[in-house]
Amino acid sequence: IVSSTCLIFLCRTSSAGAVGPRLNNDRLYKFSYTTEVLVDRAKGSKDGSAGYRISSDVDVNLVWRDPSSKDDQLIQLVISNVKIKNVAPRSAKKNIFQGATTQSLLGEKKLAALERPFMVHLKNGKVSSFYCYKAEPASIKNLKRGVASLLQVQCRSGKVIENDVSGRCTVEYKAAQGQVTRTKALETCKTAETGFTTYIQVLGVSGESSSVTVFTLEDGFIKSAIAKETHILAVNARRTTAAKIVSRQSLTLVAIEAGPFEAAGKNVASVVKSLDEKLFAVGVAAEKVKSQCKGCQSLFEHWQAVQKQFEPDSLSKAIAPRSFLALIQSIRKAYKDEILQVLKRSSKTALPQVVDAVTSSQTPDSLDAMLQFLNFADPKGMVLQERFLYACGFASHPNERMLQALDISKGKIGSKDIKESVVIIMGAIVHKLCQKGGCELPTVVEVKKMILEGPDSTQVESDIQMYLLALKNSLLPEAIPLFSKYAESEVGAYCTISLTALQRYDVALITDEVKQTVNRVYHQNRRVYEKNVRAAAADVIFSSNPSYMEVKNVLLSIGNLPKELNKYMLSKVKDILHFEMPASKILRQAMKDMISHNYDRFSKVGSSSAFSGFMARTADATTTYSLDILYSGSGVLRRSNMNIYGASNGALLHGLQVAIEAQGMESLIAAKPDEGEEDLESFAGMSALLFDVQLRPVTFFKGYSDLMSKMFSMSGEPMNVVKGLILLTDHSQVIQLQSGLKANAEFQGGLAIDISGGMEVSLWYRESKTSVNNRGAMVVTGNVTVDMDFVRTGMEVSFETEASLDFITTVQFSEYPFLVCMQMDKTTFPFSESLTKYESLPSGKSYVSRRGHKQLLPGSEFPLHQENSNMCKRVFDSDW
C-alpha cells in the first residue's frame, strides 16, 4: 500500500541548486515497469505497427547516503517477473511470442543477468554512476540503464546538460504543481556511435524527433514517470517514403514495504565493493551492441546469387539498382580479401558495375581492395579506372583518405584521359570535404593548392581545361578571381568553362568586379568572342542578381548581335519572363523603356532558342528542365545544352547537364563562319554534369581530317558518356532510445543510368541530327530495425521506377532561316511502392506484413515553345 505519509522520492529545493528525489532508509519501493517499441510508416497506428513490449517489476531501495549530503545516494534496483509480448493484439497464428516463455526468449544466462541487482549513484537528482557486472551482455546493461533514466529528475525549471543512456544531451525541465516535464533535445545528444548522410540535401533524408518524460507528483512526491520518444525519418524528395519509431516507458509505484537498512561506508566506491566485488562502474551512456548474424551469406555467396543483375542488359531495370544497394550492404561488412575475390571472379561485362558497388561502399577495406585491383599504369584498364573515379566523385560521404589515394595515384597513370578524370574528380571530393568542415585537412590543403595553381603552371591547353574543370567541381571561393581571369581568355573553351563555373556559385560571392568582367565579355569591350562564350556570359549576368543598367544594356545589344545570337537572346529573355526566374522582375522594369523593348529588336528571326519547363511537381519536390540551342549563321549546331534541376525544401540540385558543342564545320557546306569564329578548328564534343559533379568531356572528333574520317564512318549510333550504378541517397543512423533499446536506420537510393549522345550530319540531305538519350532505373529503400539479439523487429519502405528521356534535335540547313525541330520525349514508365513490417525470433519464428501498389505512368512529349511545334510540322512534312 502506498502511504502519502511516507517520504517517497521527496522532491526538494535548496539554496544549493536543483535537488531531486530522496529515498528513505529501511524502505523497499515496488514499481511496475513497461517499455515498448513500435515501428511503422509515418502516419501508422499502434494496432498496425510491428514491435514488442517488455514488462517487469522493479524493486528499489536505498543502500547508502552521504552523511554530509542527503541528496548523495546509492540506490539498488532489482528487475523481476520479466515478460515479453506483442504491442498490438494479434491472433495466435501471427503472434511470434505465442507459447514462448521469457527464459526461452532471452536464454537462461541473459535472464539471470537482467534479474541480477544493479546500483545507481544518484547525486542531486542526476545519475552520476551506474554499477553492474562487466561480463553482462551489452543489451542487458542497456535495458537496465533505460530503467535508471526514469530516476533522473530535478524539481526546478531550467535547461541543463545531462548524461543518460541516450548520451550527453541538453534537457529542459518545466515544473508545475504536481508535475515535472522533462524534454530532451535529441538533436544535441552526443553518443559514441555516429552515422553519416548524403551531403546533397535534395537526395537526403531529414528527421524529426522528440522525447518527453512526465513525472507525476503527489504532495510534492514522485508517483510515476511516463516517457514517450518519437523519431520520424523521411526521404526529402518523397516524404511518404518514411519510417516512424515510437518508444514508450512507464514506471509506476504500486507499493512500499519494509526494506533493508543503509550500509555503512565512507564513499560510494567502498560501499559498492563491500557489498559485491563483481560490481563495476560501467558508464551511464549506452554500450555498443554487436549484432550476430547466424546463417548469413558471405559476400561471395551474395555475389553469386545476384551477379546476373549486374550484366549490362539489366541496367535499365529496377532490379539492377536494388541488387546494387543490397551488395553495398554486404561489402560494408566484408574484409579486403573477400572484396578482392568478388572483383577477380566477376565476368568482364559485369565487372564495371561491381567496381561501382565496391567504390560506393566507402569503407577502408573497399578502398584498399580497389586500389590493389586497379593498375593505373595500364592504359587498357581505362573503363574500370574511370568507373572507379566517377564513383569517388559521386561518393555520399568521402573522407580524406579517398582524396589522398587519388592524389598518390596521380603520378602513376598510363592514360592521359584518366589523369584528367583524376584531377577533375579530386575537385569534386574537395568540395564535399569542405562542405562538412574539412577544408583545412592536410590533403585537402595540398590538393587545393595544386588545382588553384594548375591553370597558370602550364601552357598545355588540355591541362589548363583539366584544372579549370577541377576548380569548377570544387566551388572554392578562392577560384572566383581565376575564373574571372580566364573568362576573358583568347581560348573559347577556357572562357566557357570559367563562365559556366561562375554560374554555379552563390550569388553573394559574385562581386561587382566579377560582374564587370562578365559584362565585358558579353559586350566584347576588349576583344571579339565566340557566340557560345557570349551566350554563357549572358547566362551569368541574368543569374547573378543583375542591376537595372546591366539588364538594359543586354536588351540594347539585341539587334546588333550575329543573327542566331540575336534570336537566342530574345528567346532567353522570353524564357526568363515566362518561367518567372529571379531576373524577371528587373527585366520587366527595364522593358518599360521603349528604346530597349520595341518591335525592331523583338522581331528578329532565327532558329536558336531557350526554353524551360516543369517535368514534375509534387508537394515535396519540383523537377524542371531547360533546353538551350544556339546555331551558327550557316545552320550548323554551335551549342546544345539540356539541364534538369531538382528542388526540395529550398535546396537545389543540378541533376543533369548534357552539352553538345560543335565548331569550325562551316567548310563542310561552303558557308561563311560568323564573326570571331573564322579560324576555329573543326571540333565536336559532349560534356556532362551529373548530380553536381562535372565529368570529363568526350570528343566526337577534332581536326578536319578526323572530321572527314568520322563523317564517312558515322553510323548515327550514340556515343556513351556515362554508364553505371550511382549511390544517390546514403543515410545511416544509430538511434539510441531512452529505454535502452537501439534502432538502426538505413536509407539508400540507387540509380542505374546510361547517358549517351550523338551527332549525325548528312551532306546529301543537308541535314544534321543531334541526340541525347537518357535511360535509368531508380530504387530508394528505407530500413529501420530494432535488434536486441533475442528479438528483432523492423520495417522497409521503398519505391522504384524505370524511365527513359530522349532529346533529339533535327536541323535542315538547305535554306535560311533553316528548319529546326526539337523533341523531348518521356516514355510510359512503371512506378511501385512497398511497405514491409516484420518481427522475428532467433528460433526462426517470424511475422511479416506486406503492402504495396504498382502503376503505369503515361509517357509524354514535353512542351516547348509554339514556334518549335510549327517548325517540327514543317520538318516532318518535308521528310514525308
Side-chain angles (χ1 to χ4, degrees):
I1 299 169
V2 180
S3 172
S4 61
T5 59
C6 295
L7 298 181
I8 309 157
F9 286 105
L10 177 59
C11 216
R12 301 174 183 269
T13 58
S14 71
S15 58
V19 179
R22 293 179 189 171
L23 278 76
N24 277 340
N25 185 21
D26 70 8
R27 286 290 182 269
L28 182 67
Y29 303 94
K30 301 186 77 68
F31 288 87
S32 67
Y33 174 72
T34 62
T35 182
E36 61 185 37
V37 63
L38 307 92
V39 291
D40 202 352
R41 58 193 177 89
K43 294 184 179 180
S45 64
K46 182 176 178 178
D47 289 345
S49 299
Y52 53 89
R53 175 187 292 123
I54 302 173
S55 62
S56 68
D57 296 332
V58 179
D59 291 348
V60 183
N61 67 276
L62 179 68
V63 174
W64 172 87
R65 192 194 311 273
D66 186 342
S68 63
S69 173
K70 292 185 178 182
D71 294 301
D72 190 351
Q73 306 162 99
L74 181 64
I75 299 168
Q76 178 175 272
L77 296 91
V78 181
I79 296 171
S80 61
N81 194 25
V82 181
K83 294 176 183 175
I84 304 173
K85 295 182 178 179
N86 283 112
V87 174
R90 291 262 173 83
S91 64
K93 189 177 179 181
K94 295 180 179 180
N95 186 352
I96 64 170
F97 301 109
Q98 182 75 21
T101 64
T102 305
Q103 184 169 314
S104 69
L105 293 168
L106 286 175
E108 189 176 342
K109 289 184 179 179
K110 284 181 181 171
L111 180 57
L114 184 59
E115 293 182 340
R116 187 178 294 126
F118 63 100
M119 296 187 186
V120 171
H121 182 197
L122 202 63
K123 198 169 184 178
N124 292 330
K126 311 298 179 185
V127 177
S128 175
S129 303
F130 178 83
Y131 295 89
C132 67
Y133 281 26
K134 270 188 177 180
E136 289 177 359
S139 58
I140 298 299
K141 285 188 272 191
N142 288 344
L143 285 174
K144 291 180 174 182
R145 290 180 172 104
V147 177
S149 68
L150 295 183
L151 302 182
Q152 186 156 269
V153 62
Q154 73 178 41
C155 300
R156 282 187 175 179
S157 297
K159 284 187 178 182
V160 292
I161 294 175
E162 287 185 352
N163 295 309
D164 70 359
V165 66
S166 303
R168 187 169 177 80
C169 313
T170 300
V171 175
E172 183 177 11
Y173 284 93
K174 286 187 178 177
Q177 191 170 3
Q179 192 169 282
V180 174
T181 301
R182 181 178 72 192
T183 303
K184 191 182 296 181
L186 293 171
E187 68 279 2
T188 67
C189 293
K190 302 288 187 287
T191 60
E193 292 186 82
T194 56
F196 51 80
T197 193
T198 306
Y199 290 102
I200 302 173
Q201 191 179 332
V202 175
L203 300 174
V205 173
S206 57
E208 298 173 11
S209 57
S210 64
S211 174
V212 178
T213 305
V214 178
F215 298 89
T216 304
L217 310 176
E218 192 172 276
D219 297 328
F221 308 116
I222 295 175
K223 186 178 180 182
S224 67
I226 309 294
K228 183 180 179 181
E229 183 174 347
T230 305
H231 298 263
I232 298 175
L233 296 169
V235 176
N236 290 335
R238 188 174 179 82
R239 298 196 66 82
T240 53
T241 304
K244 179 174 69 174
I245 306 159
V246 178
S247 173
R248 293 187 178 92
Q249 289 174 278
S250 172
L251 184 70
T252 306
L253 184 67
V254 293
I256 301 170
E257 298 176 357
F261 288 95
E262 287 183 45
K266 292 183 179 180
N267 53 49
V268 170
S270 64
V271 171
V272 171
K273 191 172 182 180
S274 68
L275 294 172
D276 190 340
E277 289 186 344
K278 292 182 180 179
L279 287 173
F280 285 89
V282 293
V284 178
E287 291 179 34
K288 187 174 182 178
V289 179
K290 293 181 181 178
S291 57
Q292 295 180 344
C293 191
K294 295 179 181 178
C296 288
Q297 288 180 315
S298 67
L299 173 61
F300 190 69
E301 288 171 336
H302 184 161
W303 164 243
Q304 285 180 312
V306 300
Q307 57 184 324
K308 288 183 180 178
Q309 275 78 58
F310 284 78
E311 294 294 338
D313 291 345
S314 299
L315 283 183
S316 60
K317 300 170 186 172
I319 189 66
R322 186 171 282 280
S323 300
F324 169 67
L325 296 179
L327 188 62
I328 286 174
Q329 292 290 0
S330 291
I331 294 170
R332 284 178 171 170
K333 299 168 189 170
Y335 294 106
K336 173 185 161 184
D337 291 342
E338 296 176 90
I339 299 168
L340 278 169
Q341 183 187 15
V342 171
L343 288 165
K344 290 173 181 176
R345 298 280 292 274
S346 297
S347 69
K348 190 176 180 180
T349 49
L351 188 54
Q353 287 72 254
V354 179
V355 169
D356 293 336
V358 173
T359 311
S360 299
S361 300
Q362 300 169 72
T363 66
D365 283 276
S366 65
L367 181 58
D368 287 342
M370 284 308 313
L371 294 174
Q372 183 173 325
F373 181 73
L374 295 174
N375 179 10
F376 281 94
D378 182 8
K380 293 179 183 176
M382 179 178 166
V383 171
L384 296 180
Q385 292 162 21
E386 193 142 61
R387 291 288 277 268
F388 164 70
L389 293 171
Y390 285 172
C392 288
F394 298 131
S396 56
H397 55 282
N399 56 24
E400 185 184 14
R401 190 165 176 272
M402 180 181 278
L403 183 63
Q404 198 173 40
L406 297 190
D407 195 29
I408 292 168
S409 302
K410 191 172 77 266
K412 311 170 186 175
I413 296 169
S415 163
K416 181 163 176 44
D417 285 346
I418 292 300
K419 182 188 175 184
E420 289 179 8
S421 284
V422 166
V423 176
I424 291 167
I425 294 303
M426 284 169 75
I429 297 174
V430 163
H431 173 58
K432 291 184 179 181
L433 290 174
C434 285
Q435 270 188 309
K436 66 172 184 176
C439 239
E440 299 308 315
L441 292 169
T443 309
V444 177
V445 171
E446 187 180 325
V447 173
K448 280 166 58 179
K449 185 174 185 290
M450 176 194 74
I451 59 177
L452 283 166
E453 293 177 356
D456 292 336
S457 67
T458 178
Q459 298 297 315
V460 181
E461 187 173 318
S462 60
D463 286 352
I464 295 173
Q465 288 187 47
M466 171 185 74
Y467 287 119
L468 289 174
L469 289 169
L471 289 168
K472 180 179 179 180
N473 269 337
S474 74
L475 284 179
L476 292 169
E478 308 96 294
I480 291 176
L482 206 61
F483 286 133
S484 186
K485 170 187 169 183
Y486 277 90
E488 293 189 279
S489 168
E490 294 182 2
V491 180
Y494 302 168
C495 302
T496 305
I497 294 170
S498 299
L499 290 164
T500 54
L502 288 172
Q503 200 174 354
R504 297 185 67 199
Y505 280 94
D506 189 311
V507 176
L509 295 172
I510 305 300
T511 63
D512 289 341
E513 188 179 352
V514 174
K515 288 184 177 184
Q516 288 169 11
T517 300
V518 176
N519 276 278
R520 283 199 301 269
V521 172
Y522 175 76
H523 294 291
Q524 301 189 127
N525 296 136
R526 292 183 177 175
R527 55 177 299 271
V528 175
Y529 292 92
E530 301 164 34
K531 286 193 303 299
N532 59 323
V533 172
R534 297 182 72 185
D539 290 341
V540 179
I541 292 169
F542 283 129
S543 65
S544 302
N545 193 19
S547 66
Y548 174 84
M549 284 310 298
E550 284 179 293
V551 172
K552 185 174 180 179
N553 286 335
V554 169
L555 291 174
L556 289 171
S557 72
I558 298 172
N560 302 309
L561 304 170
K563 284 182 183 177
E564 286 300 321
L565 188 56
N566 264 329
K567 186 65 173 66
Y568 175 83
M569 290 304 298
L570 281 174
S571 191
K572 175 62 73 173
V573 167
K574 290 175 182 176
D575 189 45
I576 291 170
L577 296 171
H578 161 76
F579 209 63
E580 293 290 339
M581 294 180 190
S584 59
K585 188 176 180 181
I586 196 77
L587 248 177
R588 285 194 174 89
Q589 193 177 336
M591 287 172 69
K592 290 177 181 178
D593 179 4
M594 294 303 294
I595 298 174
S596 307
H597 178 214
N598 55 50
Y599 179 79
D600 182 52
R601 291 189 197 284
F602 277 69
S603 62
K604 302 300 180 186
V605 295
S607 302
S608 299
S609 65
F611 185 81
S612 301
F614 289 101
M615 292 186 77
R617 276 188 280 188
T618 68
D620 304 317
T622 301
T623 307
T624 60
Y625 67 91
S626 68
L627 296 172
D628 294 358
I629 307 284
L630 178 64
Y631 293 96
S632 68
S634 56
V636 180
L637 175 74
R638 194 68 179 85
R639 186 184 77 170
S640 162
N641 200 348
M642 181 182 79
N643 292 279
I644 296 176
Y645 293 92
S648 176
N649 199 27
L652 184 69
L653 168 67
H654 198 166
L656 175 67
Q657 180 186 74
V658 180
I660 296 178
E661 290 207 18
Q663 65 181 39
M665 296 177 64
E666 284 77 11
S667 57
L668 285 175
I669 54 174
K672 182 182 177 183
D674 292 334
E675 181 190 18
E677 301 180 0
E678 296 87 354
D679 301 321
L680 293 180
E681 182 182 33
S682 297
F683 166 84
M686 189 176 196
S687 172
L689 183 147
L690 192 59
F691 302 113
D692 281 334
V693 177
Q694 171 71 56
L695 307 180
R696 180 181 62 83
V698 174
T699 299
F700 295 150
F701 57 80
K702 188 171 185 179
Y704 187 76
S705 58
D706 189 23
L707 164 61
M708 295 311 296
S709 66
K710 295 276 174 66
M711 191 64 64
F712 291 107
S713 63
M714 203 176 274
S715 64
E717 290 297 317
M719 180 183 286
N720 180 258
V721 181
V722 182
K723 189 172 189 175
L725 293 156
I726 300 172
L727 185 61
L728 294 180
T729 302
D730 195 16
H731 179 92
S732 179
Q733 185 177 351
V734 176
I735 302 171
Q736 181 58 59
L737 302 171
Q738 184 178 274
S739 63
L741 300 175
K742 184 179 71 173
N744 289 284
E746 301 275 349
F747 280 75
Q748 289 186 306
L751 175 71
I753 194 167
D754 184 353
I755 300 176
S756 56
M759 184 173 184
E760 190 177 355
V761 179
S762 170
L763 298 180
W764 182 262
Y765 293 105
R766 297 182 74 80
E767 181 179 276
S768 72
K769 186 176 285 188
T770 58
S771 62
V772 177
N773 312 112
N774 304 278
R775 302 284 180 273
M778 184 170 70
V779 172
V780 176
T781 65
N783 277 286
V784 173
T785 57
V786 182
D787 191 350
M788 283 301 290
D789 59 40
F790 56 85
V791 59
R792 191 170 192 260
T793 187
M795 65 169 290
E796 179 185 284
V797 59
S798 69
F799 71 85
E800 61 184 53
T801 187
E802 301 166 6
S804 65
L805 181 69
D806 296 323
F807 172 46
I808 301 167
T809 306
T810 305
V811 183
Q812 293 181 351
F813 46 85
S814 55
E815 58 181 283
Y816 190 86
F818 34 84
L819 301 178
V820 181
C821 172
M822 294 182 292
Q823 296 166 279
M824 190 169 171
D825 298 331
K826 176 181 69 176
T827 59
T828 297
F829 63 96
F831 179 86
S832 63
E833 288 183 292
S834 66
L835 170 66
T836 304
K837 291 177 276 191
Y838 57 87
E839 298 162 356
S840 65
L841 299 175
S843 64
K845 196 172 182 181
S846 64
Y847 159 76
V848 180
S849 167
R850 290 188 176 92
R851 290 176 58 190
H853 77 275
K854 297 179 180 179
Q855 59 180 325
L856 275 177
L857 299 176
S860 63
E861 183 169 333
F862 289 103
L864 300 175
H865 42 81
Q866 185 59 44
E867 190 177 336
N868 180 69
S869 300
N870 298 336
M871 199 84 79
C872 285
K873 288 178 185 177
R874 292 179 60 189
V875 168
F876 292 123
D877 285 347
S878 63
D879 284 347
W880 180 258

